[in-house]
Structure formats: C-alpha cells, structure tokens
Amino acid sequence: MSPNKTKQKKPSIVKATALTKFYGDKKVVKSLDFCVKEGECFGFLGPNGAGKTTTLGMVYCFTPPTSGTIMVCGKEVGEDDREIKKLIGVAPQDDSLDPELSIIENLIAYARYFNIPKKTAALRAGELLDFMQLAERSTDRVMTLSGGMKRRLVIARALINRPELIILDEPTTGLDPQARHVIWDKLNKLKKEGATLLLTTHYMEEAYNLCDRLVIMDKGSFVAEGSPDGLIKKHLENEVVEIISRGGVNFDINKLLEGLEYRYETSGDREYLYADDGDPLVRKLLDLGAVEVLHRKATLEDLFLRLTGRELDE
Amino acid sequence: MNKMNMSVISNLKIVIGSLFSRGCLSVWQRNFDVWRKRYAASLTGNLGEPILFLIGMGFGLGKLVAPIEGLSYIEFIAPGLVCSATMYSASFECTFATYTKIAVQKTYDAIRVTPVSVEEITCGDILWGATKGMIAGGVFLFVMLCFGLVKSWFVLLLPFLMIILAITFASLAILFASKAPAYDFFSYYFTLVISPMFLFSGIFFPVEQFPAIVERLAWFTPLVHFIDISRGLVLGDVGMWMFADLAWIVVFALIILSMAISGVKQRVVT
C-alpha cells in the first residue's frame, strides 16, 4: 500500500465529450462531458426523466448520440460498437430475461451471443449463480423467480463475458429492502475485486453506498459533480433542523432566530433550517413548548432535493 | 444511378453477411431452445391441419368437383396447400412471436447489448420463422406422400423452393411486425394480405378462371409463383418457364428481406 497509489493517474474507461441527444425537437441530453476511471464506481443520480437512461444507453452503444463523442475502453462508440460490446456487461432496467427458459439456460443462451464456448459458458454460469446465490434455483424457469432474484440474474448475465466495464441501469429500483441490500453487497464485492462500475439510480442511499464519484443530473444537464461526502460539504451546511409541526404555536421564525446563522426552506407543511451548528436553533424552538423538531446530519437526499427542486416536475 | 447501384450492393452484402453469421445462428438457437420446451403441441398442429384439409377439401368437396386439367381435385390442391402451410406457419411465427420479442419481452433489446447486431438478430428470427415454415411444409409433404399425391421425383427439389418461400413470408411478416403498434394490427395483415393470397393464388382453382386483368394482377403477388413451381415439381410437369417464376421470387425475397431488416432497425434503434 503506497500512499501514492491513489494519486497515480488511472486510465479512463469511459470518456464522453459534448454528448447530446435529441428526441425529435426535444433535447434530452445537453452536451455532457464526463469520464469514468478504471476501478471506480461512477453514478448518475437524478429524478425520473432526467436523461440518465438515455445517457447510459449512449455509452453502451444502444442509443445513437445526436452529436458528441464517447470513447469506451479506448474505442469509439458508433465506429467500433461490436468490439466495445465484447468488453462491457450491461444490466438494463427492463427485465429482458427469457421467461420460458431456465436460469441456467438463460445464461448459456446469452453466452452464445459472445461466442463463448459451451463448456466455458457452463462453468462461468455455475460460478456466477453461486456468487449471486441462485445456484439452487438454476434449473427453475425464470417466470417462477421473485423480483430480486430476477435482478440478480440480470446482473449475473451481464458478467458472463468477464467485462472490463459493468453498466447497471437502476439496479435496485422496485425491490424490497432485503433484496436491495443483497445486490449492494454483491456490487461492493465486485468493486473490491477491482471492477469498474457505471450506474444510474434515484436512491440516495444507493449512490452513497456504492459510488466513489457521482453526478447529479436534472433535465439533461449535470447540476453537481463529486464524491458523495464532498458534494454535501460543498453545497450544504452540516446539519438540518426540520420543523415537523408547530404544535399550534404562532411565531415568526425570522424574529425567533434573529442573530443566528441558518438558511430557511419550506416544502408542503414542513420547514427546513440548514446550519453548520443546529443546536442553538433547536434550543430556541424547543423553548416554545409544543413545537416538534427533527435534528439530523445533512444527507445526499437534502442535496439532491436542493439541486433538483422539492416540487414534482412532471 | 451508379450511387444507387452501390447502395443496393452494400445493402445486399449486409443482408447476406448477417444471414450467414454466427450471431444469426445463436439467435436461431435461442428460438429453437424455447420451441423445444413445447414441440409436441406445435407438431400436433402441424400434422393435424394438413390431414384435416386434405380429407375435408379433397375427399369431401372434391367429390363434387369435375377434374381440373386432368387431375382429381385433391391432386390439384395438394401442391398448393403444401405452400400455404409453409406460408402460414412462417407468418404466424414472425408476426405474433416476433412482436412479443420486440415489444413485450424485450428480447431484441437484451441481445442488442451483446456483440450480435440488429441485422443479425432479425436474420436469426427470420431463419427461425422459416424453419417453422419448413417444419409445417415438411410434415404436409409427408402426409401427401402417404396419400399417394406425389407423382414425380422432381419433388426432391421442392424443399429448396420451400426454403425460399419460408424466408420470403417470414421476412414479410417481420416487416409488418416492425411497424405494428399492437397485436391487433396483425388482423390487417392476415385479412388483407395473407388470406387473399391463400384464396386467389391458384391453390383451389386455376388463376385463369379470373378475367384477364385479375390474372395479370395476381402475377404481382408472390404466392402464385411458388404454387406454379410447386405444382410442376409434384406432378412432374417441369420446364424452362419455371426459371421466370424463380427469378421473380428470388428478387422479391431479397427486397423484402432487406426491407424487414431496415424496418426492425428503425423500430428498435432510437
């Protein structure tokens, strides 16, 4: 473990320049630049409709960009698609498994698309099913699996060609907490083994747990970029005091907290006070008696909501 | 003009290249693996249909019909029915089943993230639809043999004709599937395209029955040519005229095949 290790320049596995996508007249991805380094987990975090899936689709040669360039594993998207696809593994958002085939048959059929010899395919499929805790179900039909198992199988399928880059589009959307934690656990194991991951999510917890670096995306643009902790530090105060209920007490917040340093936001019935030190604010509020407050550390979710807006945008 | 020739040639190269690629074969294999799970039901249908048709139309209706061109009615219709059995089986596979793979199960999307190209996926599906057509046609031919309806050794060439027939109709079906917004759309296809061909392409009565203008129009539909050749091969009435039909068929097949591929590409790559 040399201290320089993290300072060494790692090669880019993905490098996008001025990446843009139009659907008809609608510009859904607006001139994005980003790069993913070898061995890191890079995330696109954003609300539904932010353009995450479209951006990811352009990286794995699925959605042709309107303009801009992307290099993946040293090859250009649009020029060397077949070569790129040999080197990457993709777990799409849709459940696109073959429902009539068994679990093991799904993996073998998929391996055939990569020209992997049958024996090698069977061997790898066995290993991957062990890794994903699906080995006992290997001869069951896919239609009999739970949502979490299907998702694990989709990820196992993406690993069948031993990819240099693993791309996951919302890997845990729609799963229950147990199933979600199993998948995070597996992805963290892959990370420890040195895998490069590129994923999209709208779960803050997921981004926080998995990503070394992330971008927050909204309406086709990046609104922030950095490590999860770095982003919170840069854009937010340390703590949040939420006023859950005023408890019938009538007061003017500006007057009450005069002289203290804080930033005020409101959404629906809730009021949020952001401050580097929340203690004095809490004391003043609790002095009023019936007021209910929640005092906590600022999270990625606060940042996300701050940057992409608290209101639904549909 | 030269430019157009070039694009036609490069298009043909892609079509032929995709048809004989490993990617295409692996997609075919995937379809075969799925079919194997339920082959018994599928083969029962393939075997039952022709027997019912030959008995009902041939022996039943045939009793009331005077000989056509010196043939009993069942002898007359059998070489046409072997073509329509092939046509129907390929058409069903590449409309309903292909649509399911494109729009519902997202099979095309799943394969598209692997090194297999859209062209190869489409060709693999067309070859699979053609295989189903060949199975149906092959079973029908076997039943014809059992009924003593095959009169000539030239019938050995019939499977080659059936391959082209099956690929043609599988391609035409996929072209429609690539434009279909929902399953219901296929009623148009079967009612307006497939059924008229089945009824008016000379399977049940000679096309010459119609006024000259209708007969001319029939020449522009593909099934007529397949049935002409098929009847010639089954009955031993062969000649140079077959090559004119064959040329028509091959050109039509290649055009439809390349249209099907670009149709699917337009549909799935956005």
Side-chain angles (χ1 to χ4, degrees), chain A residues 241-245 264-273 294 296 310:
Chain A
V241 177
E242 288 184 40
I243 303 175
I244 296 168
S245 150
Y264 178 82
E265 266 181 31
T266 174
S267 165
D269 288 340
R270 288 234 173 161
E271 295 167 281
Y272 300 83
L273 306 168
L294 175 67
R296 57 175 175 79
R310 285 196 183 270

Side-chain angles (χ1 to χ4, degrees), chain B residues 176-216:
Chain B
F176 265 77
S178 74
K179 309 288 178 204
Y183 285 111
D184 297 331
F185 189 78
F186 296 125
S187 325
Y188 291 124
Y189 182 57
F190 283 99
T191 312
L192 300 177
V193 180
I194 295 295
S195 298
M197 268 198 269
F198 176 62
L199 291 170
F200 305 115
S201 292
I203 298 179
F204 299 105
F205 46 87
V207 184
E208 293 81 29
Q209 289 282 312
F210 292 115
I213 176 78
V214 181
E215 196 189 327
R216 284 272 164 74

Side-chain angles (χ1 to χ4, degrees), chain B residues 130-209:
Chain B
T131 305
K132 296 255 327 231
M134 290 293 289
I135 294 171
V139 170
F140 201 106
L141 190 56
F142 172 75
V143 174
M144 278 167 65
L145 275 167
C146 296
F147 280 55
L149 297 169
V150 175
K151 309 290 181 190
S152 162
W153 284 102
F154 279 108
V155 80
L156 291 174
L157 295 174
L158 186 58
F160 297 102
L161 179 75
M162 279 158 56
I163 292 176
I164 308 174
L165 167 67
I167 290 179
T168 305
F169 281 97
S171 306
L172 194 60
I174 283 201
L175 177 59
F176 265 77
S178 74
K179 309 288 178 204
Y183 285 111
D184 297 331
F185 189 78
F186 296 125
S187 325
Y188 291 124
Y189 182 57
F190 283 99
T191 312
L192 300 177
V193 180
I194 295 295
S195 298
M197 268 198 269
F198 176 62
L199 291 170
F200 305 115
S201 292
I203 298 179
F204 299 105
F205 46 87
V207 184
E208 293 81 29
Q209 289 282 312

Side-chain angles (χ1 to χ4, degrees), chain A residues 21 23 60 62-64 82 85-86 90 94-96 98-101 105 110 112-115 157, chain B residues 22 26-27 29-30 33-34 37-38 105-107 109-117 120 269-270:
Chain A
K21 178 73 181 175
Y23 281 123
Y60 63 83
F62 192 78
T63 308
R82 204 189 288 263
K85 287 172 180 179
K86 283 180 191 167
V90 181
D94 292 319
D95 160 27
S96 55
D98 275 322
E100 321 225 354
L101 297 180
E105 286 168 335
Y110 202 74
R112 225 183 271 127
Y113 305 137
F114 289 90
N115 256 331
R157 190 176 71 169
Chain B
R22 288 195 72 150
S26 57
V27 173
Q29 175 91 46
R30 176 261 168 214
D33 288 348
V34 173
K37 307 244 157 191
R38 286 178 314 207
Q105 287 179 7
K106 306 274 177 197
T107 314
D109 284 351
I111 305 174
R112 214 151 70 70
V113 306
T114 73
V116 180
S117 67
E120 291 166 356
V269 182
T270 52

